[in-house]
Amino acid sequence: MWNLFGKSLKSRLLLGTSRYPSPEVLKNSIAFSGSEIITVSLRRNSGGEGNPFWEMLNALKVNVLPNTAGCHSVEEAVTTAQMAREIFKTNWLKLEVIGDDYTLRPDPVALVEAAEILCKDGFEVFPYMTEDLVLAEKLLEAGCNILMPWASPIGSGQGIANPFALKTLRDKFPEVPMVVDAGIGSPSHAAFAMELGFDGVLLNTAVATSIDPVKMARAFALSIEGGRQGYLSGLMEKRDFAIPSTPVVGTPFWHNV
């Protein structure tokens, strides 16, 4: 069980809702994954009662995490966040302030400024960030209670490009909830993120654009659970030499005379 801001969650998989071939496939993917937190872009979905997409999410009984995808300035992100809170009736917000259109790398200065404004306004901000340690410190100082570092650029499927930086970030703030967000391309990438000690994984493209999104969503759910259990159990340390799994000291052996 994962306790996140007063909610008890069984799943540590967060799913995006864009690029699915149909609403039915999206619905089944969410259901088979067991995901309990779904990200929604205000720019793609008007939300509100009477909207088919919104009604479908309500029927699934999931927690909606609106995001400010596509925003490039502090003012734009703050305005979008305020609209999202009114429409989706939640203080949760995935904050994105894009600084580079090619890599979709967040603008660190604008991100911290927007986070500070929104935290003071009562939002529970989930900031989409790089794995930068100093940026993490600034976001925590701004009032964020969770961090969402990327594995690699959005939609790239490259997996964890800088394991050392992510592990350093995780070790620096052991009590801060952290979700790896963006760049996850396969279930093994997600399992690796969980083995590093992260609390969850947010992904979209790897499921939505697969041949069978429903099966892929389930595969990610299983890999995340496996990675989490592996981390909690204590992973074997790597060695530069072999150690036999069956001890030979004190055991008889035969040889030709």
Side-chain angles (χ1 to χ4, degrees):
M1 194 66 69
W2 183 25
N3 294 311
L4 186 64
F5 304 131
K7 294 183 182 293
S8 295
L9 307 169
K10 295 180 180 178
S11 173
R12 292 173 181 268
L13 169 61
L14 291 72
L15 273 183
T17 54
S18 67
R19 304 186 66 183
Y20 286 82
S22 71
E24 188 67 18
V25 172
L26 168 60
K27 175 182 175 181
N28 290 334
S29 297
I30 295 172
F32 273 78
S33 74
S35 178
E36 297 165 282
I37 301 178
I38 306 302
T39 62
V40 179
S41 171
L42 182 64
R43 289 171 174 264
R44 285 192 293 266
N45 304 284
S46 60
E49 295 181 3
N51 180 284
F53 179 82
W54 180 236
E55 296 297 335
M56 180 191 72
L57 291 184
N58 273 339
L60 290 171
K61 306 298 182 183
V62 294
N63 298 287
V64 174
L65 176 61
N67 67 49
T68 60
C71 292
H72 288 75
S73 69
V74 173
E75 182 179 4
E76 192 178 14
V78 170
T79 300
T80 301
Q82 292 168 340
M83 292 172 62
R85 179 164 61 182
E86 182 176 345
I87 291 173
F88 295 110
K89 311 301 181 186
T90 179
N91 287 326
W92 285 16
L93 180 80
K94 180 187 173 186
L95 178 61
E96 297 183 29
V97 187
I98 301 302
D100 178 69
D101 287 329
Y102 180 72
T103 62
L104 297 181
R105 180 181 290 270
D107 179 333
V109 176
L111 182 64
V112 172
E113 184 178 343
E116 186 171 13
I117 293 170
L118 291 169
C119 287
K120 289 180 178 178
D121 194 25
F123 283 90
E124 199 64 74
V125 176
F126 294 57
Y128 161 65
M129 55 176 288
T130 61
E131 65 277 76
D132 185 270
L133 184 63
V134 176
L135 175 57
E137 292 176 329
K138 297 295 183 183
L139 288 167
L140 294 173
E141 291 172 1
C144 296
N145 296 306
I146 187 171
L147 298 174
M148 300 185 76
W150 72 358
S152 51
I154 294 174
S156 68
Q158 294 180 20
I160 297 178
N162 194 338
F164 174 78
L166 275 181
K167 184 66 166 61
T168 300
L169 182 62
R170 173 71 283 179
D171 292 345
K172 175 69 173 179
F173 305 105
E175 303 303 321
V176 176
M178 292 189 194
V179 174
V180 173
D181 174 21
I184 298 294
S186 70
S188 61
H189 296 162
F192 183 30
M194 299 304 293
E195 289 172 357
L196 290 176
F198 285 87
D199 299 284
V201 174
L202 193 160
L203 56 96
N204 186 165
T205 307
V207 170
T209 63
S210 65
I211 295 175
D212 190 331
V214 177
K215 287 185 178 179
M216 186 61 78
R218 183 59 180 160
F220 271 105
L222 293 172
S223 68
I224 288 171
E225 176 62 20
R228 178 65 179 176
Q229 292 303 318
Y231 169 74
L232 294 177
S233 301
L235 297 171
M236 176 181 173
E237 293 184 4
K238 294 181 180 179
R239 299 184 177 93
D240 294 328
F241 51 87
I243 296 180
S245 57
T246 303
V248 295
V249 177
T251 61
F253 64 92
W254 292 264
H255 59 87
N256 292 326
V257 211

